[in-house]
Amino acid sequence: MKLSTKYLIIIVMSMFIFPVSFIGVNFLYYFTLTKIIVHPERTYYDPKELKVKWLQVIDRLEGLSEVEIISGLRQAMQYKDSQVSWLGENGQVLMTEPESNGKHNSWNIFDVFELVNQEEDSEFFTIVRFLKGEHTEGYVLLEVPRQLIGSQWESLRDKYYFLWFGAMGIIWMIFVFVSWLFFNQLRKRLVVMQENMEREGEGGIPLTVVVEKEDEIGQLEHSFNRMVEQLNTSRAKEQHEMELRKNLVANLSHDLRTPLTIIRGHAFRIDRDRLSEEDRKSLEVINDKVHFLGDLIDNLSSLTLLNAGKLPMNIMSTDVRRVIRASLSAWYPIFEQKDFLVEVELKHSIVWDIDETWLKRILNNLFQNIIRHAASGKYVYVQCLRTDESEVLIISDRGPGLHTVSMHKGIGIGLSIVTIMLEQLRLEHVWETSDKGTSITIFKKNSDQE
């Protein structure tokens, strides 16, 4: 059954639960009390019927002699635990039945009127009627115990009223429990689905869920399982393509390094010969492109290993300032040859938990990028800065910016390697570039600020 149908049933039940339960409980309550809970030893007198019958008896005794009236009253006295009295106008007791009860022996006419006006919550239900005989007249009193007055249904209803409230309470509790059970099952199924979404399986892909019911949530679970299957298929396809790319790059790197080595050897041999100025410039271009192609092959191999997570990384406490100095020492002759102005501010020592080899590769790629794409600015600035909040490494140039097209413009593999390495080393970085230069700020927040 669909969830929408179940929910509609609950709404309809909530609309009709009160009138239906009220009618049903009343019927069962009446049937139980009158048909099942029976008290044959109990006697019940309907007040209206009792009064009519008793007044008919009094009317039949009108005008009879005192003896006949007393005899008629005693014959009519058939009500259980009751008493009938005939009191004269002057207060004398003409007759009492049963005679053992002399409660009216000292009564007068005023007591009779007080008895007529007594409250309904008194001990006895009393009927008073004036009776005039042949020679004697007075008031006839019929007193019936209050607990015998009323129908059997009314008596039992007053006694077992808690059953009615109990039955109504049980029905409402069942309705509330069924509603709670419905929504609790929905919540549990959604929670299970959420837990499966958050629980990562192989490759970080969520696990499939077991579909138990073919309702709306079941359809959602089917859709979720199809999504997981598509993710697994895509992941397998991606891994297969990545393996193909890695093999392709590895094969190309191997195949290209051999001719590059041969080209370098022949270029070196030619450089030893006497060449014209024009030939020497051409040879410099050949050497530059060979070096560029060699660096490109190295970057492609490194990028492939980085994306596959297979480039070795050895994290240890590293003096960043020492690594920068070593890297600048290697690059300084090249900057000097290109007439670069190199400004260095390494006043503050910085120690990071990183891989020293990776940091050298990052610095080499950045300096190489400056040589190739920012040579027109002929400026390099390196600074180590430590503040209360973070430790910062800044490298900047005065080139035309990253967005400018140059003859050495590539596809940005070197800077992509820098970005990936910084992310895997958990170092934050910010690029700032314009036509007046490019700057990268590498920083790591202090542990008490994280």
Side-chain angles (χ1 to χ4, degrees), residues 384-444:
C384 283
L385 179 65
R386 186 173 63 230
T387 65
D388 294 336
E389 297 182 353
S390 61
E391 297 172 334
V392 182
L393 168 61
I394 301 174
I395 300 176
S396 60
D397 61 61
R398 293 177 181 172
L402 296 178
H403 304 297
T404 303
V405 179
S406 66
M407 61 178 298
H408 300 288
K409 187 71 173 180
I411 58 176
I413 296 179
L415 295 184
S416 298
I417 292 175
V418 170
T419 300
I420 295 174
M421 282 186 165
L422 289 175
E423 290 177 352
Q424 295 189 13
L425 289 173
R426 297 183 179 181
L427 295 175
E428 301 183 50
H429 64 283
V430 177
W431 287 96
E432 295 181 2
T433 183
S434 67
D435 55 357
K436 296 182 180 180
T438 300
S439 173
I440 180 174
T441 302
I442 304 170
F443 60 95
K444 184 175 183 180

Side-chain angles (χ1 to χ4, degrees), residues 190-449:
L190 293 175
V191 168
V192 170
M193 189 171 180
Q194 179 185 4
E195 291 176 351
N196 278 274
M197 289 180 178
E198 295 176 352
R199 186 168 60 249
E200 295 183 355
E202 184 178 358
I205 298 177
L207 302 176
T208 57
V209 297
V210 179
V211 181
E212 297 179 352
K213 298 180 180 180
E214 297 295 334
D215 50 17
E216 287 84 349
I217 294 182
Q219 297 302 317
L220 182 61
E221 291 171 341
H222 279 301
S223 300
F224 176 75
N225 290 339
R226 287 194 295 270
M227 181 193 69
V228 172
E229 292 175 358
Q230 292 174 358
L231 287 175
N232 287 324
T233 303
S234 299
R235 175 58 60 84
K237 183 178 180 181
E238 180 183 354
Q239 290 178 348
H240 178 68
E241 292 176 351
M242 183 180 296
E243 191 68 23
L244 291 177
R245 287 196 300 269
K246 183 176 68 174
N247 293 333
L248 177 62
V249 171
N251 293 332
L252 283 176
S253 299
H254 179 268
D255 293 341
L256 290 175
R257 288 182 192 278
T258 300
L260 282 178
T261 303
I262 297 174
I263 293 173
R264 283 196 184 100
H266 284 278
F268 178 76
R269 186 181 62 80
I270 294 174
D271 190 37
R272 296 172 60 185
D273 297 336
R274 293 182 180 181
L275 299 175
S276 63
E277 186 67 25
E278 184 177 353
D279 291 338
R280 190 166 297 280
K281 288 182 179 179
S282 298
L283 185 60
E284 289 179 358
V285 172
I286 292 174
N287 283 325
D288 181 66
K289 294 302 181 182
V290 168
H291 286 298
F292 175 75
L293 187 57
D295 294 337
L296 181 60
I297 293 173
D298 292 337
N299 285 335
L300 280 173
S301 300
S302 299
L303 184 61
T304 302
L305 292 175
L306 278 173
N307 288 329
K310 296 183 178 180
L311 190 66
M313 181 170 59
N314 182 24
I315 299 295
M316 59 183 301
S317 181
T318 304
D319 186 349
V320 177
R321 184 168 59 175
R322 178 182 58 80
V323 177
I324 294 175
R325 284 174 176 170
S327 181
L328 283 173
S329 297
W331 280 91
Y332 191 80
I334 301 175
F335 286 133
E336 188 177 24
Q337 182 183 2
K338 300 289 184 178
D339 297 327
F340 270 71
L341 173 62
V342 181
E343 291 187 1
V344 182
E345 292 187 18
L346 303 177
K347 296 180 181 180
H348 299 92
S349 176
I350 298 177
V351 178
W352 288 343
D353 292 333
I354 56 175
D355 187 305
E356 181 175 338
T357 304
W358 283 35
L359 180 58
K360 290 180 180 179
R361 182 64 180 273
I362 291 171
L363 294 174
N364 289 339
N365 281 18
L366 292 174
F367 291 151
Q368 188 178 76
N369 190 74
I370 292 175
I371 291 293
R372 288 179 176 170
H373 306 296
S376 61
K378 297 185 179 300
Y379 177 79
V380 178
Y381 177 75
V382 181
Q383 180 186 22
C384 283
L385 179 65
R386 186 173 63 230
T387 65
D388 294 336
E389 297 182 353
S390 61
E391 297 172 334
V392 182
L393 168 61
I394 301 174
I395 300 176
S396 60
D397 61 61
R398 293 177 181 172
L402 296 178
H403 304 297
T404 303
V405 179
S406 66
M407 61 178 298
H408 300 288
K409 187 71 173 180
I411 58 176
I413 296 179
L415 295 184
S416 298
I417 292 175
V418 170
T419 300
I420 295 174
M421 282 186 165
L422 289 175
E423 290 177 352
Q424 295 189 13
L425 289 173
R426 297 183 179 181
L427 295 175
E428 301 183 50
H429 64 283
V430 177
W431 287 96
E432 295 181 2
T433 183
S434 67
D435 55 357
K436 296 182 180 180
T438 300
S439 173
I440 180 174
T441 302
I442 304 170
F443 60 95
K444 184 175 183 180
K445 293 182 179 181
N446 295 332
S447 58
D448 56 348
Q449 296 293 330

